[in-house]
DNA sequence: ATGAAAGGTTCATCTTGTCAACTTTTCAGG
DNA sequence: CCTGAAAAGTTGACAAGATGAACCTTTCAT
């Protein structure tokens, strides 16, 4: 990539990094608030919405949900319990390994999740300040950042 | 599905926005995990760390903490209780309005908060993939996004 | 002086999250 | 075939976060 000899143009690389981190923190806070709000508007909690979102691509075993969300499996049990009680998901034993329970979104569940996703006007406000090509630049930067980091589930 | 008579230059502006939102969601998840971990390493919870971080610029009334964190004041009571019990903050009545309690970080509290901030190598990994000028671009884009949105506390 | 409004706290209640103990199922070796 | 270890989920106890209603104290405008 780019060897960094002495660098006269860049006064304090750390300064920029630090500011980016701070900005990111604010953005994260903003995003979080919006997400919780949007979920609450459908009487879902953030955690429930996250699980439901994970199931968009198909049924998943409990354990995998837990891993993707970086929490204990026993935690997922409760969340899925509540989602199931409200008809948003179903639990079904895996045919090949009966220890495994596959969690699948019901029609209602997917609908709610999709609706929430659409309603996430989070970035509409913040992103509205950026022009189309700027969004593209932002997208590429974010892509590279995430590619560099440990690939999350999603 | 998408009949877009206008817009000839940009194929699908919505497509990019959507992807940016998704990337942002992943970044938010990543950040969140790192933050909780870093806080836990100092035996603080995420919420406690957030409150402590807010106090970096000086003492704040309970109500303002609640507003900045978008939650009920009664919630802050508990968090500050626990921070106070461990000597990270103090509660002091405001001289001008004795209804108001000013929460201030103690030396230990500021130190812990500052340490946590430093240790937040969150972005080091992801940001490592970006060169200096790319970081600058990213910083500027993030700045504008946040300026466009409702200014959070910070 | 009175009463409304604001700032905090308390209490009940729920959800999230962890950890340890437990059940069921799978699977490798003997 | 049997036995026992390991894996997947669940359960129960418990702490923290979050909300909403009721409450106390202080302020402030009549």
């Amino acid at each position: 990539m780019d060897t960094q000899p002495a660098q006269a143009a860049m006064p304090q690389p750390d300064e920029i990094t630090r500011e980016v981190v701070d900005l990111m923190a604010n953005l994260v806070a903003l995003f979080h608030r919006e997400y919780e709000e949007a979920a609450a508007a459908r009487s879902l909690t953030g955690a429930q919405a996250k699980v439901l979102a994970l199931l968009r691509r198909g049924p998943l075993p409990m354990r995998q949900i837990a891993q993707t969300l970086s929490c204990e499996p026993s935690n997922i049990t409760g969340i899925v319990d509540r989602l199931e009680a409200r008809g948003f998901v179903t639990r079904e034993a895996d045919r090949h390994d009966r220890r495994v329970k596959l969690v699948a979104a019901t029609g209602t569940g997917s609908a709610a999740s999709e609706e929430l996703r659409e309603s996430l006007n989070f970035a509409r406000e913040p992103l509205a300040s950026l022009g189309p090509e700027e969004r593209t630049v932002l997208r590429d930067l974010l892509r590279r950042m995430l590619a560099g980091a440990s690939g999350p589930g999603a």
Side-chain angles (χ1 to χ4, degrees), chain A residues 40-104:
Chain A
R42 284 146 190 83
S43 60
L44 286 172
T45 65
Q48 287 165 3
K50 269 185 237 168
V51 168
L52 221 39
L54 275 188
L55 300 176
R56 266 200 300 255
R57 317 222 179 211
L60 287 179
M62 302 288 286
R63 185 129 315 230
Q64 193 163 333
I65 299 178
Q67 270 170 4
T68 307
L69 263 44
S70 309
C71 68
E72 298 299 317
S74 60
N75 188 15
I76 303 299
T77 297
I79 297 174
V80 169
D81 278 351
R82 288 178 279 272
L83 282 174
E84 195 179 21
R86 294 173 52 194
F88 287 129
V89 304
T90 59
R91 253 187 268 235
E92 196 176 341
D94 186 341
R95 242 163 291 283
H96 306 301
D97 184 342
R98 294 214 318 273
R99 289 173 300 180
V100 173
K101 302 260 181 75
L102 289 175
V103 185

Side-chain angles (χ1 to χ4, degrees), chain A residues 13-149:
Chain A
D14 270 6
E15 207 29 63
I16 301 229
T17 298
R18 165 171 294 219
E19 196 183 341
V20 170
V21 172
D22 279 356
L23 289 166
M24 211 76 87
N26 287 339
L27 211 54
V28 164
L30 185 58
F31 188 103
H32 225 257
R33 242 176 303 170
E34 292 255 4
Y35 194 81
E36 291 282 341
E37 251 175 59
R42 284 146 190 83
S43 60
L44 286 172
T45 65
Q48 287 165 3
K50 269 185 237 168
V51 168
L52 221 39
L54 275 188
L55 300 176
R56 266 200 300 255
R57 317 222 179 211
L60 287 179
M62 302 288 286
R63 185 129 315 230
Q64 193 163 333
I65 299 178
Q67 270 170 4
T68 307
L69 263 44
S70 309
C71 68
E72 298 299 317
S74 60
N75 188 15
I76 303 299
T77 297
I79 297 174
V80 169
D81 278 351
R82 288 178 279 272
L83 282 174
E84 195 179 21
R86 294 173 52 194
F88 287 129
V89 304
T90 59
R91 253 187 268 235
E92 196 176 341
D94 186 341
R95 242 163 291 283
H96 306 301
D97 184 342
R98 294 214 318 273
R99 289 173 300 180
V100 173
K101 302 260 181 75
L102 289 175
V103 185
T106 63
T108 322
S110 321
S113 180
E114 201 51 46
E115 199 184 299
L116 193 154
R117 177 185 167 79
E118 291 299 334
S119 89
L120 247 217
N121 53 359
F122 146 67
R124 268 198 260 297
E125 291 262 347
L127 281 179
S129 320
L130 306 185
E133 41 335 290
E134 286 173 321
R135 280 176 227 199
T136 308
V137 172
L138 178 60
R139 183 201 57 184
D140 292 341
L141 290 177
L142 291 178
R143 263 187 193 167
R144 304 226 334 257
M145 284 179 68
L146 283 167

